[in-house]
Amino acid sequence: MNGTTARSGLGRVVVGVDGSPSADAAAMWAAAESALRGSTLCLVHAADTDTPVPFLSEAEIVRSRQAGRELLDRTAEAITERHPELTVVKELTAGPAPGSLRRAAALTGTIVVGHRGLGGFSSLLLGSVGLEVAAEATTPVVVVRGAAEPVEAGAVLAAVRNEADVGCARAAAREALLRKVPLRLLHIWNVGLSVGSRAALRNGGNGNARDHVRVLSSVSDQLREEFPNLTVQAEGEKSHSVPGALVDASHHADLLVVGGRRSPGYLGPTLGRITLTLLQHAHCPVELIPRQGPGHGSTS
């Protein structure tokens, strides 16, 4: 099985489970992904009992850890029923979830989380664990969105902003090969509604249209050369909202792969506006590929 993973260029899959419906859906998605990769699946439950909590007794800590073990056992049993050939390992950790998931993924693993969790942050569109993992991970992160039992669209979609996204597109190509479906490269450029917007529309939007065609052709030509057995479709379009256009396109994808752009914030790394919008509103799972990270090549 390790040979399959090595040939695909994809590492093992690590998924966080906390008993929420969103995490259950993420675990099933991660199991299917692991089966495609031929890799082991690692289930991680972070009991977070190392964090000082006032009035938390030793007996309550023991009960929390036992509940975590039972949750891992139930989840593993449900996955094995659906994927009996899959090797599943379980990790119960005492620390917070984001750090536990990053350690389990190590240098090459893919982290999978649900789009909501349990606790006080469950009202957010994306749970606090998902936000932190997506903002700080140096390996790929998948946030599972969409219907609990999605209808397969038969395509993997990759968002291409410029030539630096060839690493992101390469990861999407590997995912498409696993699924035996075409890869759609989508390059969207913004035509802002502002003073002079009519002139911008007449002239093809912000920037020269030839530049946008060049970006798309450069990435698609490289992928066709690297993956001769893969059908690569390249599409470019103008839109008043880049994230809105990508959300619409996600209706017709099994997986949306994007470059995870991050910038320093007051409290640490933050997600870019487009990335955050996709994680909150996409209609299919979203995979973030770090612009610079292990295992994705110098051009990523």
Side-chain angles (χ1 to χ4, degrees):
M1 290 200 296
N2 290 337
T4 303
T5 301
R7 289 194 299 272
S8 73
L10 300 166
R12 78 166 179 169
V13 180
V14 175
V15 61
V17 295
D18 63 6
S20 66
S22 178
D24 291 344
M28 286 301 174
W29 188 94
E33 177 74 9
S34 294
L36 287 172
R37 295 186 184 191
S39 68
T40 59
L41 172 65
C42 179
L43 304 179
V44 175
H45 175 72
D48 202 7
T49 51
D50 279 352
T51 302
V53 178
F55 313 117
L56 188 62
S57 68
E58 184 63 30
E60 289 170 321
I61 291 175
V62 171
R63 284 196 295 270
S64 175
R65 291 174 178 170
Q66 180 59 31
R69 293 187 190 93
E70 293 172 357
L71 172 61
L72 287 169
D73 289 342
R74 290 196 305 272
T75 306
E77 289 173 4
I79 288 170
T80 300
E81 286 182 7
R82 188 172 296 190
H83 301 280
E85 79 291 350
L86 192 62
T87 300
V88 180
V89 298
K90 299 169 285 187
E91 290 190 15
L92 176 68
T93 69
S100 299
L101 291 167
R102 288 193 294 269
R103 283 189 293 274
L107 296 177
T108 59
T110 296
I111 300 173
V112 180
V113 294
H115 72 283
R116 294 193 187 196
L118 297 173
F121 292 97
S122 61
S123 62
L124 296 179
L125 290 171
L126 179 64
S128 58
V129 170
L131 281 170
E132 186 173 341
V133 169
E136 296 188 350
T138 57
T139 59
V141 174
V142 177
V143 176
V144 175
R145 296 197 52 82
E149 295 292 338
V151 177
E152 292 186 0
V156 171
L157 178 65
V160 176
R161 182 179 181 182
N162 52 42
E163 287 92 339
D165 275 331
V166 68
C168 162
R170 185 180 294 116
R174 292 170 180 147
E175 293 283 6
L177 280 174
L178 287 179
R179 291 164 172 76
K180 297 182 172 62
V181 299
L183 170 65
R184 289 180 57 209
L185 303 178
L186 184 57
H187 173 67
I188 301 171
W189 63 97
N190 183 267
V191 285
L193 286 176
S194 58
V195 177
S197 61
R198 289 189 177 88
L201 286 168
R202 286 197 301 271
N203 295 326
N206 299 334
N208 192 310
R210 283 192 294 261
D211 293 336
H212 296 292
V213 172
R214 177 183 53 77
V215 166
L216 195 54
S217 296
S218 173
V219 175
S220 60
D221 288 349
Q222 184 168 337
L223 288 183
R224 290 188 179 106
E225 182 177 350
E226 291 184 25
F227 301 93
N229 297 322
L230 177 65
T231 299
V232 179
Q233 304 165 350
E235 306 168 20
E237 65 179 69
K238 297 177 290 186
S239 175
H240 295 300
S241 170
V242 173
L246 289 171
V247 168
D248 287 342
S250 71
H251 273 292
H252 311 291
D254 298 325
L255 178 67
L256 169 58
V257 185
V258 299
R261 291 170 180 81
R262 304 172 179 89
S263 58
Y266 291 112
L267 300 176
T270 59
L271 294 169
R273 178 179 62 89
I274 293 176
T275 302
L276 185 57
T277 299
L278 294 176
L279 294 183
Q280 291 177 333
H281 299 292
H283 300 283
C284 69
V286 179
E287 181 170 8
L288 302 183
I289 305 298
R291 258 294 179 79
Q292 293 180 341
H296 299 287
S298 59
T299 55
S300 63

